[in-house]
């Protein structure tokens, strides 16, 4: 159990939290939600002891161990992957290192023997002999191959480091587990593994996430941060949303009845206050009127952008033909003889753990890279807009947002361009902000504005939900569902993939593909497809053809 007692945190004159009292108990998983800037990550830092509140305190059950997901991806660069994971249980790791140091001594004394015996007993009590195998299970579950388990952390790529740090947080069955955006940079397979791990985890979990599907899958409770308070709801994210909307509706209806009663009393008082025979009744109604209080209904601090992709031209039947594309980078075959045809009703999600291959394919289709072999052809009626995974170069400019966007607009009027910015939560003078100073979420919303201005009938998205809050993800999801053109996209957000895609193309580790017209959930549930994913490059849907 972990509990916040009258916690207040002030940043300057602003109170981020005000007298927060909340208890998190064993066996439950709590999702922390709230608008950007509400203080979700800050609250986790207070719970973990990384940040001191201005007032109040945090208490834990005696003897319990707390673990949290580290955010510094370079902190363990000098250590092996295995050591980094085991450091998740600091006491166990310290015992291991002290034991090793004693046994390496050339002049092993009686005192050393006694100390080693004490350490061995504590080590066995903590199930230390299974530490490496337990760590290996976590790493393998998250997709870190066995050959990397004793590699130096500094040699791993960013996505792999995230997985190792997540394994570190999960290691050793902590009593209280704090996870800040654990699904960031995880592929869908790793997210699915994490979901199952947390569902079966018996202790206390407190998680911040923008992934609605993830919160629905793992959470037993939702803690909503709004207006410096935290309101606890039983149930998952969807249940919170329905409950909160129902509560607001009930309060509005109650207020409406009270307003009608107030009007009725006021009319009576106005008519009969001067009437001697009715004066007592008028006085009685005045007292009744004074007792009626309307419920205060604050609008949520959440803000939703308005994302509406409208193609300027209807798309024809010939959209895209990809023929035998192969690409090798730095001696590694990324794509191997990839072929597919895109129809005018297709909304295709590219999935699988081969993250680099998806990006390379999008870069080829956007004309940023050339394939080593094969070709592709866009239909004459198509126009394409591309959202890149890495937008660093795009924002390396001194142009303002408005000036940069104007380049892509046929209408050069500033108010026209700023209209798109307003929809994307850039109010008033925000258009004069320089491109290079924008936050991650702001950059993404600027790129969405560009895609809306361009009015293309084919949209390509490479991980568009990175850096977005839940409100922006919801708006994007709705915009993708409503879009009447063709979508080619990769996303780690399960709900975006499930609700948007009508076709799944999985890029396999060897660079080949599996291509299936289905929803994502149906695709995952198909055991036959799961078995075929372990095989070679391209899946042939016709069984007879496959046998030939």
């Amino acid at each position: 159990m972990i509990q916040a007692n009258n916690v207040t945190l002030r940043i300057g004159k602003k109170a981020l939290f005000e007298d927060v009292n909340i208890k998190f108990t064993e066996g439950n998983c709590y999702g922390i939600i709230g608008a950007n800037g509400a203080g979700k990550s800050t609250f986790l830092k207070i719970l973990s002891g990384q940040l001191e509140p201005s007032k109040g305190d945090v208490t834990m059950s005696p003897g319990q161990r707390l673990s949290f997901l580290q955010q510094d991806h370079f902190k363990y660069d000098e250590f092996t992957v295995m050591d980094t994971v085991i450091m998740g249980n600091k006491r166990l790791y310290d015992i291991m290192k002290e034991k090793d140091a004693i046994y390496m001594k050339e002049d092993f004394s009686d005192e050393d023997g006694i100390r080693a015996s004490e350490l061995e007993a504590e080590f066995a009590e903590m199930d230390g002999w299974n530490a490496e195998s337990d760590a290996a299970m976590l790493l393998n579950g998250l997709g870190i191959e066995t050959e990397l388990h004793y590699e130096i952390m500094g040699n791993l790529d960013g996505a792999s480091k995230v997985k190792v740090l997540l394994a570190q947080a999960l290691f050793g069955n902590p009593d209280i587990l704090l996870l800040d955006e654990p699904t960031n940079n995880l592929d869908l397979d790793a997210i699915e593994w994490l979901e199952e791990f947390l569902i079966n985890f018996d202790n206390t979990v407190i998680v911040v996430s923008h992934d609605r599907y993830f919160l629905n899958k793992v959470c037993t409770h939702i803690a909503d941060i709004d207006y410096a308070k935290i309101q606890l709801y039983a149930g998952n994210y969807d249940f919170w949303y329905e409950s909160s909307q129902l509560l607001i509706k009930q309060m509005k209806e109650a207020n409406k009845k009270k307003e009608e009663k107030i009007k009725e009393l006021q009319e009576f008082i106005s008519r009969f206050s001067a009437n001697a025979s009715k004066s007592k009744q008028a006085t009685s109604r005045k007292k009744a009127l004074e007792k009626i209080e309307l419920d205060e209904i604050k609008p949520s601090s959440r803000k939703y952008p308005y994302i509406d992709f409208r193609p300027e031209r209807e798309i024809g039947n010939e959209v895209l033909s990809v023929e035998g594309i192969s690409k090798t980078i730095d001696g590694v075959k990324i794509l191997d003889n990839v072929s597919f045809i895109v129809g005018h009703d297709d909304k295709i999600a590219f999935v699988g753990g081969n993250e680099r291959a998806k990006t390379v394919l999008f870069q080829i289709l956007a004309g940023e890279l050339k394939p080593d072999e094969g070709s592709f052809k866009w239909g004459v009626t198509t126009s394409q807009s591309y959202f890149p995974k890495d937008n660093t170069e795009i924002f390396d400019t001194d142009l303002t947002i408005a000036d940069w966007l104007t380049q892509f607009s046929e209408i050069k009027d500033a108010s026209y361009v700023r209209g798109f910015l307003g929809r994307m939560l850039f109010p008033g003078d925000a258009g004069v902000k320089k491109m290079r100073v924008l936050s991650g979420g702001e950059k993404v919303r600027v790129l969405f504005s560009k895609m809306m201005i361009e009015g293309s009938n084919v949209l390509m998205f490479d991980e568009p939900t990175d850096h977005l809050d839940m409100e922006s993800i919801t708006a994007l999801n709705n915009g993708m569902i409503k879009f009447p053109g063709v979508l080619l996209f990769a996303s780690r957000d399960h709900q975006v993939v499930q609700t948007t895609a009508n076709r799944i193309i999985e890029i396999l580790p060897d660079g080949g593909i599996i291509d299936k017209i289905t929803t994502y959930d149906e695709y995952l549930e198909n055991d036959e497809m799961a078995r075929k994913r372990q095989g070679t490059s391209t899946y042939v849907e016709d069984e007879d053809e496959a046998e030939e």
Side-chain angles (χ1 to χ4, degrees):
M1 183 274 293
I2 185 168
Q3 182 171 341
N5 308 297
N6 295 313
V7 165
T8 295
L9 180 67
R10 294 190 175 277
I11 300 175
K13 293 182 179 180
K14 180 185 176 183
L16 198 58
F17 304 110
E18 191 80 56
D19 294 324
V20 168
N21 290 282
I22 189 168
K23 181 190 290 186
F24 304 98
T25 57
E26 186 177 356
N28 292 316
C29 178
Y30 299 86
I32 308 290
I33 64 170
N36 263 5
K40 301 181 293 292
S41 297
T42 303
F43 187 65
L44 284 194
K45 288 179 181 177
I46 291 174
L47 292 179
S48 66
Q50 298 175 78
L51 186 64
E52 285 290 327
S54 307
K55 190 183 79 172
D57 60 15
V58 173
T59 55
M60 285 172 48
S61 297
Q64 291 200 328
R65 183 171 72 85
L66 181 146
S67 179
F68 60 89
L69 177 58
Q70 296 278 356
Q71 301 297 318
D72 184 353
H73 298 170
F74 305 99
K75 184 176 180 179
Y76 302 94
D77 275 1
E78 297 179 2
F79 297 91
T80 66
V81 168
M82 183 60 68
D83 279 355
T84 300
V85 175
I86 295 175
M87 284 181 195
N89 188 335
K90 185 178 184 302
R91 178 56 189 158
L92 179 61
Y93 181 77
D94 290 344
I95 290 172
M96 291 173 62
K97 291 304 166 185
E98 188 177 351
K99 277 201 316 160
D100 291 345
I102 290 174
Y103 291 139
M104 288 178 66
K105 285 186 176 181
E106 294 182 1
D107 52 344
F108 192 85
S109 65
D110 290 343
E111 289 79 6
D112 289 332
I114 293 170
R115 179 58 179 160
S117 177
E118 293 171 348
L119 292 172
E120 289 289 4
E122 189 176 356
F123 184 72
E125 188 178 336
M126 298 180 73
D127 199 25
W129 296 111
N130 291 320
E132 291 197 4
S133 61
D134 290 346
M137 286 179 61
L138 293 171
L139 290 166
N140 288 334
L142 288 165
I144 301 296
E145 301 297 334
T146 303
E147 56 265 27
L148 294 177
H149 291 186
Y150 292 92
E151 184 65 70
I152 297 297
M153 281 285 285
N155 295 335
L156 269 58
D157 60 33
S160 296
K161 284 183 179 180
V162 169
K163 291 180 177 181
V164 175
L165 293 178
L166 181 54
Q168 180 194 73
L170 303 178
F171 177 75
N173 195 36
D175 300 291
I176 299 163
L177 179 59
L178 308 182
L179 300 175
D180 190 0
E181 296 293 354
T183 62
N184 276 5
N185 296 310
L186 292 189
D187 55 78
L188 288 166
D189 288 338
I191 293 173
E192 186 178 0
W193 179 90
L194 178 61
E195 288 167 355
E196 291 303 315
F197 181 93
L198 294 179
I199 288 169
N200 295 306
F201 188 73
D202 292 330
N203 298 331
T204 305
V205 181
I206 306 171
V207 59
V208 170
S209 177
H210 291 139
D211 189 327
R212 297 159 296 167
Y213 182 90
F214 178 77
L215 292 175
N216 278 331
K217 197 82 181 286
V218 305
C219 289
T220 61
H221 295 74
I222 294 295
D224 179 30
I225 302 178
D226 212 354
Y227 294 105
K229 300 293 183 183
I230 302 181
Q231 180 71 38
L232 192 61
Y233 296 80
N236 61 15
Y237 177 79
D238 281 350
F239 188 81
W240 160 81
Y241 183 80
E242 291 169 6
S243 299
S244 60
Q245 294 302 304
L246 178 61
L247 179 61
I248 291 171
K249 182 181 178 182
Q250 289 173 339
M251 290 173 69
K252 286 181 177 178
E253 289 175 351
N255 275 356
K256 185 177 180 182
K257 290 180 180 177
K258 289 178 183 178
E259 286 168 352
E260 290 172 354
K261 186 65 176 177
I262 288 170
K263 185 179 179 182
E264 177 188 324
L265 291 172
Q266 286 174 336
E267 287 177 352
F268 186 92
I269 294 165
S270 176
R271 285 175 60 194
F272 299 110
S273 58
N275 188 322
S277 63
K278 299 279 188 178
S279 61
K280 283 187 179 181
Q281 294 179 41
T283 302
S284 174
R285 281 164 172 73
K286 282 182 182 178
K287 290 179 180 180
L289 183 60
E290 290 169 359
K291 291 178 181 179
I292 298 177
E293 291 184 5
L294 295 177
D295 294 321
E296 183 182 8
I297 304 176
K298 290 184 177 180
S300 174
S301 60
R302 293 174 172 82
K303 294 181 180 179
Y304 290 81
Y306 179 71
I307 299 177
D308 186 18
F309 303 108
R310 296 184 183 182
E312 293 178 356
R313 180 180 183 180
E314 188 174 343
I315 201 164
N317 290 325
E318 293 185 7
V319 179
L320 174 65
S321 176
V322 175
E323 297 282 348
I325 282 183
S326 295
K327 184 67 177 179
T328 299
I329 299 177
D330 298 330
V332 178
K333 195 140 202 175
I334 307 297
L335 299 171
D336 185 12
N337 193 30
V338 171
S339 299
F340 57 90
I341 294 173
V342 178
H344 70 280
D345 293 323
D346 281 341
K347 292 187 176 181
I348 304 175
F350 292 83
V351 303
N354 198 340
E355 299 283 314
R356 192 179 187 191
K358 288 178 272 187
T359 295
V360 168
L361 178 60
F362 284 130
Q363 288 174 325
I364 289 171
L365 297 180
E368 294 182 358
L369 282 179
K370 290 186 177 180
D372 298 332
E373 300 173 21
S375 62
F376 66 95
K377 182 180 180 182
W378 289 104
V380 293
T381 63
T382 66
S383 54
Q384 306 89 38
S385 289
Y386 171 46
F387 180 99
K389 187 173 184 178
D390 182 1
N391 55 43
T392 307
E393 288 187 13
I394 293 174
F395 291 89
D396 186 17
T397 173
D398 287 323
L399 288 175
T400 66
I401 303 173
D403 288 343
W404 184 80
L405 281 175
T406 301
Q407 301 174 100
F408 306 98
S409 174
E410 291 185 5
I411 301 172
K412 301 302 180 182
D413 181 60
S415 61
Y416 176 77
V417 171
R418 291 191 180 188
F420 285 93
L421 288 174
R423 297 178 199 171
M424 299 307 295
L425 308 182
F426 291 100
D429 295 334
V432 300
K433 287 179 73 172
K434 294 288 182 69
M435 290 278 285
R436 66 171 72 252
V437 303
L438 299 180
S439 68
E442 288 175 330
K443 289 177 179 178
V444 173
R445 298 202 307 273
V446 166
L447 292 178
F448 290 163
S449 299
K450 170 183 174 288
M451 297 175 81
M452 287 192 288
I453 286 173
E454 288 176 326
S456 300
N457 52 26
V458 178
L459 304 182
M460 294 188 290
F461 294 100
D462 190 2
E463 300 297 346
T465 62
D466 288 355
H467 308 294
L468 290 184
D469 59 20
M470 200 174 296
E471 292 71 41
S472 295
I473 292 173
T474 300
L476 172 65
N477 196 174
N478 292 337
M480 292 172 72
I481 291 170
K482 290 189 301 180
F483 180 61
V486 168
L487 288 176
L488 309 176
F489 70 99
S491 174
R492 301 184 191 93
D493 190 299
H494 187 118
Q495 191 160 336
V496 167
V497 178
Q498 169 59 20
T499 57
T500 305
N502 56 22
R503 180 176 169 187
I504 303 294
I505 294 181
E506 178 172 356
I507 303 183
L508 300 168
D510 65 3
I513 65 170
I514 297 171
D515 187 352
K516 187 74 172 176
I517 298 174
T518 182
T519 67
Y520 185 57
D521 282 349
E522 289 170 347
Y523 185 76
L524 291 177
E525 289 169 5
N526 191 317
D527 291 334
E528 180 183 352
M529 295 300 296
R531 287 195 299 274
K532 289 181 181 293
R533 284 205 296 277
Q534 305 303 316
T536 55
S537 57
T538 304
Y539 167 65
V540 181
E541 193 167 343
D542 187 285
E543 299 258 344
D544 296 330
E545 190 178 334
E547 288 177 5
E548 291 176 9

